[in-house]
Amino acid sequence: EEWRDREKLWNDVQAAELRKDAQLAREIEFAIPREMTEAQGIELARDFVQTVFVDRGMVADLNVHWDIGADGLAKPHAHVMLTMRHIRIGDDGSAGFGAKVRDWNRTELLQHWRGAWAEHVNARLAELDIDARVDHRTLEAQGIDLEPQHKIGPAASRMAGQGLEADRIAEHHEIARSNGDKIIADPGIALDAITHRQATFTNRDLAMFVHRHSDGKDQFDAAMGAVRGSPELVALGKDGKGDERFTSRNMIETEQRLKRATAMHDARRNHAIAERHRYRALANATARGLDLSAEQRGAFEHVTSARGVSNVIGYAGTGKSAMLGVARETWEAAGYRVQGAALSGIAAEGLENGSGIA
């Protein structure tokens, strides 16, 4: 409770160190999707920090900033200050700091945190039905033929004439020019990169992407013109906010393939379940203390029908995973192998724990 006071926490951290050059804390910074509301962004950050840092044994000092950029758009992000030492509880119940945990400084752990944040964000975006995704991998790993650029903030720009910063800024512009030339030569690079993260996009989304990967107004205009004139760009009309929305021909073709495959699968009636398997699975669930509601029973009967595709839609906490656990038992009793899939690792873990479906 005392450490909920930031001043008390960091004074105690400093008091635990004997060396003047000791590392007192580790700082983690991550961007929050601007598509979320401020309340949703804060909840997202708190849940992640609790699961990844606090549950591991660190004390986390979290600050969420909801800044507004020069373009008028939100630039939400979070700063997390983390303690470096084990928490030691004395015989009298008092808390203090013990030995430093070297394992928390491993490079592999940082990579794990990057991946965990991407999974955490994508799971929440899917829950909120927001058409956007993040990817922690390098551009090369994502198959995007663009060079990564340095992130140059306002402070670095003001220091443009000072040695190392000047070199970094010059390299940043050089890479941006190179990327701009690539987009002008092949606009499909930009379309593939944008639709990798969101199925549809606005003119503003496109302009922000091209601005980030071009240098100067002339190249920006040329790159925008190349993408807007590409036969691979598909206009979808205006969305609910009145913004023109676009996608790529590749994305349309992917959706059409999925639609055809689903229709073919739905036409098959080859997953019949004998009534005795349903009855036994329901009886076993009741014996375990799980009584399915009328809605859950309806969903259970729906998904265990012979049809190839069945859809169940429900809010979080309505018992979908529990119902699927009973369905899994039914399918396995009928001799089927049951396999699950989800859009992110965190979602997969939750469904696996709730339903027992691997």
Side-chain angles (χ1 to χ4, degrees), residues 235-255:
L236 300 173
K238 292 187 176 181
D239 61 18
K241 296 180 179 178
D243 294 324
E244 292 285 349
R245 208 158 261 282
F246 305 88
T247 190
S248 69
R249 197 168 298 283
N250 277 342
M251 184 60 67
I252 294 287
E253 290 172 356
T254 299
E255 288 187 347

Side-chain angles (χ1 to χ4, degrees), residues 277-292:
H277 295 315
R278 286 198 190 89
Y279 180 80
R280 188 177 299 119
L282 286 169
N284 290 342
T286 302
R288 295 194 301 270
L290 174 61
D291 288 318
L292 297 188

Side-chain angles (χ1 to χ4, degrees), residues 2 8 10 12 25 92 113 116 190 230 232 237 260 271 351-352 354:
E2 288 182 354
K8 172 65 175 171
W10 296 112
D12 285 0
D92 59 353
W113 289 340
S230 170
E232 298 302 309
R260 288 193 297 270
H271 288 93
L351 287 166
E352 187 170 283

Side-chain angles (χ1 to χ4, degrees), residues 250-266:
N250 277 342
M251 184 60 67
I252 294 287
E253 290 172 356
T254 299
E255 288 187 347
Q256 289 174 343
R257 285 199 306 274
L258 283 170
K259 183 181 176 182
R260 288 193 297 270
T262 302
M264 288 173 58
H265 196 57
D266 188 41

